[in-house]
């Protein structure tokens, strides 16, 4: 990979990182200020703030891995640094998926209209259960991530040093295959919360369809709060689903650096694509949340006002 290509990809990665930090930090700051001001915080704000913090951590890990891959590739031959990066990437990866799934479930329970006893019970209890659910997601993500550094034994790290050589020994191939299997298995565990988000999305569609039919039968006006809430929640959930699919595929490509020789360009492109998900989805959430949208408009108005004052 040429120096110009490396520089271009690093600039793109840094730009995506900056936008992601800006959007997620804005979500966390607005919700924390509102919490301090009102001495209480809504359940949706707890989920959004937790999701924003986890995404800031994920952005830092991806960018750090990107810089190390380009500037200091020999770091991966050291056990300690490799363990730390791999553990936190797996941890933040699972946290993001679980917290986003919590958001999808919350939208579904608060907006959908069903009359099943289990649904009504969950709808009634969800606000009090959110802090415990988020703590459970954190504990589960830590538990899932623990096998990753343990799998990076001395035999595997010695094989990483030789990954650019084509004549790898059978022992190295077996070590890499074992590590690849565990890595793939842990990543596949994120498909469970992803499936839950997908089910929530389809149930929201069903609820929207039933609500639309009732509107047509009752001749309700076009501007209906429940209809707008359904559409807004569906936009947030489907944007997460689509962006996560792209992120997941890019994540698998990025982690292939341990197993395939001479793939720096492919890995760099994969990490640049992976940065899109935690960076862009935060702005979709801001636009879909009335409080965050109004706060962003106030900030933009103040920035515009300050720029006009400087020009004159």
């Amino acid at each position: 990979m040429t120096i110009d290509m490396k520089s271009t990809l690093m600039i793109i990665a840094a730009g995506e990182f900056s936008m992601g930090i800006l959007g997620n930090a804005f979500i966390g700051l607005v919700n924390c200020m509102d919490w301090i001001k009102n001495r209480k915080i809504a359940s949706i704000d707890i989920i959004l703030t937790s999701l924003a913090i986890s995404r800031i951590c994920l952005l830092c890990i991806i960018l750090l891995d990107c810089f190390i891959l380009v500037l200091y590739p020999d770091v991966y031959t050291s056990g300690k640094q490799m363990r730390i990066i791999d553990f936190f990437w797996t941890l933040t990866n699972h946290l993001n998926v679980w917290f986003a799934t919590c958001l999808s479930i919350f939208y579904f329970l608060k907006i959908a209209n069903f009359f099943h006893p289990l649904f009504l019970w969950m709808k009634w209890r969800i606000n009090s259960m959110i802090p415990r659910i988020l703590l459970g997601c954190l504990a589960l993500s830590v538990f899932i991530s623990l096998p990753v550094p343990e799998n990076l034994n001395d035999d595997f790290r010695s094989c990483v040093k030789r990954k650019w050589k084509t004549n790898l020994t059978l022992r190295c191939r077996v070590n890499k295959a074992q590590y690849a299997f565990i890595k793939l298995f842990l990543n596949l565990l994120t498909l469970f919360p992803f499936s839950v988000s997908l089910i929530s999305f389809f149930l929201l569609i069903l609820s929207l369809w039933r609500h639309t039919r009732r509107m047509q039968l009752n001749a309700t006006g076009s501007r209906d709060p429940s209809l707008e809430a359904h559409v807004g929640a569906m936009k947030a959930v489907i944007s997460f689903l689509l962006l996560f699919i792209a992120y997941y595929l890019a994540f698998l490509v990025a982690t292939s650096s341990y197993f395939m020789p001479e793939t720096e360009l492919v890995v760099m492109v994969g990490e640049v694509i992976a940065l899109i998900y935690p960076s862009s989805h935060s702005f979709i959430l801001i636009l879909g949340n009335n409080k965050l949208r109004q706060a962003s408009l106030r900030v933009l108005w103040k920035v515009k006002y300050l720029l006009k004052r400087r020009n004159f």
Side-chain angles (χ1 to χ4, degrees), residues 89-104:
W89 194 340
T90 305
L91 174 62
T92 54
N93 182 41
H94 281 272
L95 275 178
N96 271 271
V97 184
W98 280 105
F99 287 166
T101 301
C102 291
L103 183 63
S104 301

Side-chain angles (χ1 to χ4, degrees), residues 10-252:
M10 288 304 300
I11 291 172
I12 295 174
E16 291 176 334
F17 171 81
S18 301
M19 293 299 294
I21 292 295
L22 180 65
N24 287 292
F26 178 80
I27 292 175
L29 184 62
V30 170
N31 287 331
C32 288
M33 290 177 64
D34 188 64
W35 184 11
I36 295 172
K37 180 180 178 181
N38 298 322
R39 301 295 177 88
K40 61 181 180 179
I41 184 169
S43 298
I44 183 66
D45 294 338
I46 296 176
I47 300 174
L48 289 173
T49 303
S50 302
L51 184 59
I53 293 172
S54 67
R55 284 180 173 168
I56 289 174
C57 296
L58 179 63
L59 285 165
C60 293
I61 291 295
I62 296 177
L63 188 70
L64 177 63
D65 188 76
C66 198
F67 271 103
I68 290 175
L69 182 66
V70 173
L71 302 177
Y72 307 103
D74 291 337
V75 167
Y76 280 125
T77 63
S78 174
K80 184 177 181 181
Q81 289 84 349
M82 194 173 182
R83 286 172 185 265
I84 293 173
I85 292 174
D86 224 16
F87 171 78
F88 280 105
W89 194 340
T90 305
L91 174 62
T92 54
N93 182 41
H94 281 272
L95 275 178
N96 271 271
V97 184
W98 280 105
F99 287 166
T101 301
C102 291
L103 183 63
S104 301
I105 295 173
F106 185 85
Y107 281 144
F108 164 66
L109 292 175
K110 286 296 183 180
I111 295 172
N113 294 312
F114 294 101
F115 299 99
H116 192 278
L118 178 60
F119 174 82
L120 294 176
W121 180 83
M122 293 176 65
K123 189 183 185 75
W124 175 62
R125 293 282 296 169
I126 187 63
N127 283 325
S128 60
M129 292 172 62
I130 284 297
R132 284 175 285 180
I133 291 174
L134 294 178
L135 288 175
C137 292
L138 175 60
L140 181 61
S141 299
V142 172
F143 177 75
I144 293 173
S145 305
L146 288 177
V148 175
E150 294 299 324
N151 194 44
L152 297 176
N153 52 39
D154 294 332
D155 288 339
F156 176 79
R157 291 195 297 272
S158 65
C159 292
V160 170
K161 298 178 183 180
R162 303 176 57 187
K163 70 177 179 178
W164 309 117
K165 298 180 182 181
T166 56
N167 57 341
L168 292 177
T169 63
L170 176 62
R171 184 180 179 183
C172 283
R173 286 196 294 268
V174 170
N175 272 286
K176 289 193 174 188
Q178 290 175 347
Y179 182 81
F181 175 78
I182 294 178
K183 191 79 171 176
L184 179 62
F185 174 74
L186 293 176
N187 288 331
L188 287 176
L189 290 178
T190 59
L191 294 181
F192 174 73
F194 176 81
S195 301
V196 175
S197 295
L198 193 61
I199 293 171
S200 300
F201 173 70
F202 285 124
L203 289 175
L204 274 173
I205 293 177
L206 177 60
S207 176
L208 177 61
W209 175 72
R210 294 175 60 181
H211 180 74
T212 305
R213 285 192 62 187
R214 284 197 297 268
M215 287 176 58
Q216 292 173 348
L217 292 174
N218 299 327
T220 309
S222 58
R223 288 191 59 82
D224 180 71
S226 181
L227 176 63
E228 293 178 358
H230 273 83
V231 174
M234 288 174 58
K235 287 180 179 178
V237 176
I238 196 171
S239 61
F240 159 68
L241 294 175
L242 294 176
L243 287 170
F244 180 75
I245 291 173
Y247 165 79
Y248 190 79
L249 295 175
F251 178 79
L252 292 179

